[in-house]
Amino acid sequence: MAYSGCPLMREHKVTFHAADAVTGVRRGADAFCFFVKINGKTVRLAVTFPVLGGVRLTAKPGFFAADDRHAVTYSGQKVIRMTAGAAKADFRRDTEKGFVLTVYGKNGTPAFTLSGADLQFGIDEKGKCGRMRYFVPFAENEVLYGLGERYDRLDRRGLHAYLWNVDTGFGAVQGEAYQNVPLMHSTAGYALFFNTMFGGNTDSGVTVSEKTLYDFNGDAQDLFIFTGTPYENLDSYTRLTGRPILPPRWAYEYWMGASYDAWRLDGKDPLIHLKEYLDGYAAIGIHHVAACYGETGPCQTKEAYEMLEPSGCRMLFWNYPAYGRKDSAALLHTTSPAKLPHPMMKKGTRYVLPDNWLDFTHPDAKTVMRHKYARYFDWGLKGAMIDFGEFIDPDWKCHNGKDGNAMHNEHSYWYAKTMKEVFEERCGDDYVLFERSGCAGAQHYCTHFGGDQKTTFEGLNQAYYGMLSASASGLVNWGSDIGGLGGFPSDETYIRWLQMSTFSPLMRAHAAHKPHNPWNYGDPATDVFKTLYWWRENMLPYTYHLAIEAHKTGLPLVLPMPFVYPDDADLRVVEDQYFFGSELMVAPVLSENRNWRTVQFPAGHFTSLWSGETVEGGRRLCVNAPLDTIPVYLRDGAILPLTLPKETLLPFTSVEDTQTVPALLVTPALSRRTVTLHTSADDSFRLVSEKPDGGILRLDNTDGMACGALLLFGAAVTHVKVDGKEVPFTNDGNKTTVRLENGFKTIEIF
């Protein structure tokens, strides 16, 4: 049962008919078509090969268009072999199943199969398709993950997921989520995207052993099968649905903030609390927090913006997607229900207006939002939480003509799109929006946050798995409430959540009953916060590089282990560690009262970010993880761009109000690798690391990236050459620092 009266999906009553009666085939220039009998009617299914990648099976085109497709080359008679671009598929008739469609992976072996018996059309009493079912077989050792935001686990085998956006009530019901995306990855070498916004249910191995059931509550008759690497499949998916938005650089810094109750704690005026926040951070040496989320508190008073302005802190609003009907009518100078930007609610045989929810498919919803935010923009507003997007009722009807069943998930797309357009008009590209609900394509318009989690380790785990599965589903700019929402987290819960959030795409504090500022959790928490806050500032060039890469290619900032190692039987089942970009492997502590954890190290060498000690990979080890430490490791040949204080060149220390230099943190190389670092949406630089004869590292700055210092972790150094000349360096155990007054073309370290 969903929380807060959120409307639930009502399944259409249908009779299912398998597509097991093939009546004919046709070989077209760019589409192979075959025809099946469904409840006495002939249905045409088309197999095409989109230019953006993969294979497409369509009876009715879905939400996103992919009109460009490759020409098809055919061979064979009983088994019809199709080749188009880099993709290959086979079609054959089957006396029992009707047909079998096989799609091949990059290695030339079958990756995906679907039979006519496993493709089922749900026909309602009017003879229309009201539901669609797909039964997709999976192997015993196949890991399945994705489906948007999932809070219970990464691997979906043995689990159910409810693909209908709900306000989850702190994760009370297994399978529910705010953000549902019908994209599933498989370590067998494929990813499936069902090109629909309809809700539904899915489970892997529950309804039918060794098969995943996808059951959509509508005519979801458009399936994309991507068969590249996970990186390539997400590239194809985001080429179809939209590349992730690129927020401004400051959005990847820390945000302070709280909810309604916390801003009014002890009956004080929110402005008093805001000053307490600013003074508190200043007292621990932080005078320029990037942003403040002022939910129904300081964000509504001009004085708060004036209070933030001297430090450069930006105000973020809370958007509730409602507007009174009388207010809309007065603003738009009309009383006609058809002209008001609200969905219509079915009442008997007619439609009437519901209370106050906005319909973001209506063009005048933008007019309402412009009006609502006008004065806040004048004061300097720079973003908003896009909240409560899960409340479109199945019986409602939207301006675009679709009913609530079709629009429930889809409305999040138009909600985000409208808000983006309103903020762009006044802020250009200097703003950030973060949405609680989500769907396919919403990543193109806004970032996302994980909704409401308990202020416990259970909540931390839900946020963790939500981050991994959302990232794999294209919602790559994602963050959770540090410490959870509501309740009173323990000091340990706050610290462990803070550590994970430091290595998340978005690092943001939010709280209801107790502020989630570090000093509220004692001196140890404050010390941990300062170290992580300054590391996040040091690491900002790296995090922003990852964000640009995501914007250009769809690649997530957070990479689950099966995404990175789909072919490794040991690594693809590891769920409690991940990569933050290509250079850092992160192993958060997700259990209470734990000062150690096991880490599965891939092949290669991994160097501790904190100690500089190196671990030989290819094994599972127990590592220390006291409360002030989150295990984080640099890969071999790592190249991590940083910002460091020029005078000391010390990481994990303040870069505020001091001269800084661009720097690189590197580790010893085992083999040659090329890394492209993005410094802006338009500028990138290639660097090449390799192991020289008898040495530790050779680093070539191919494109002349500016660099004022180099830090090498993970080896004892005897001498360093910059552009062929010996230069001085300093050693601190297995950490080496080299000043580069004039940059470098080549560095050799021995």
Side-chain angles (χ1 to χ4, degrees), residues 13 63 226 236 356 502 516 583:
K13 295 180 179 180
F63 185 83
F226 302 120
S236 294
N356 58 1
T502 303
H516 290 180
E583 311 302 287

Side-chain angles (χ1 to χ4, degrees), residues 170-362:
F170 299 91
V173 179
Q174 188 275 326
E176 291 186 346
Y178 295 95
Q179 303 163 22
N180 290 280
V181 178
L183 171 69
M184 181 84 98
H185 296 272
S186 167
T187 54
Y190 68 88
L192 302 181
F193 173 58
F194 298 88
N195 187 16
T196 182
M197 293 293 190
F198 286 113
N201 288 280
T202 179
D203 68 68
S204 296
V206 178
T207 301
V208 178
S209 177
E210 298 181 346
K211 287 187 180 182
T212 299
L213 164 64
Y214 303 91
D215 184 350
F216 294 98
N217 198 38
D219 57 346
Q221 302 177 15
D222 194 1
L223 171 62
F224 285 80
I225 307 116
F226 302 120
T227 55
T229 65
Y231 299 85
E232 293 168 335
N233 292 341
L234 210 50
D235 173 73
S236 294
Y237 168 76
T238 56
R239 287 174 65 189
L240 174 65
T241 62
R243 295 297 199 197
I245 193 172
L246 178 63
R249 186 183 179 97
W250 59 260
Y252 296 95
E253 299 178 271
Y254 171 77
W255 314 348
M256 66 181 187
S259 69
Y260 177 93
D261 293 324
W263 283 121
R264 291 164 176 79
L265 203 63
D266 300 325
K268 294 180 182 178
D269 185 286
L271 288 176
I272 295 175
H273 285 298
L274 181 59
K275 188 175 188 307
E276 290 174 349
Y277 284 24
L278 292 171
D279 290 346
Y281 285 104
I284 61 174
I286 298 169
H287 301 84
H288 303 293
V289 177
C292 172
Y293 174 60
E295 176 176 309
T296 62
C299 65
Q300 295 179 317
T301 61
K302 185 178 181 181
E303 291 81 1
Y305 293 77
E306 294 169 346
M307 190 180 297
L308 293 179
E309 187 176 7
S311 69
C313 187
R314 303 154 183 89
M315 183 65 80
L316 308 178
F317 209 84
W318 176 63
N319 191 77
Y320 186 66
Y323 203 79
R325 285 179 286 169
K326 292 182 179 179
D327 294 330
S328 295
L331 173 64
L332 300 172
H333 307 293
T334 181
T335 57
S336 169
K339 295 182 178 180
L340 292 175
H342 302 275
M344 303 295 283
M345 179 173 62
K346 193 171 186 179
K347 189 172 183 179
T349 58
R350 61 194 183 95
Y351 283 90
V352 299
L353 284 172
D355 291 336
N356 58 1
W357 293 99
L358 281 171
D359 174 4
F360 286 95
T361 71
H362 196 295

Side-chain angles (χ1 to χ4, degrees), residues 231 234-235 238 244 476 546 549-551 553-557 559 563:
Y231 299 85
L234 210 50
D235 173 73
T238 56
V476 303
L546 298 180
E549 191 169 48
H551 177 63
T553 69
L555 182 67
L557 288 75
L559 303 166
F563 195 95

Side-chain angles (χ1 to χ4, degrees), residues 431-454:
Y431 71 95
V432 63
L433 299 172
F434 46 114
E435 187 175 32
R436 186 174 77 171
S437 61
C439 60
Q443 76 277 351
H444 188 58
Y445 300 113
C446 66
T447 74
H448 288 83
F449 74 103
D452 303 342
Q453 279 89 43
K454 298 176 183 177

Side-chain angles (χ1 to χ4, degrees), residues 1-3 5-10 162 164 166 176 392-394 408:
M1 180 65 183
Y3 178 62
C6 186
L8 297 180
M9 182 177 71
R10 288 195 291 276
Y162 184 50
W164 176 270
V166 299
E176 291 186 346
I392 296 295
D393 190 276
H408 180 84

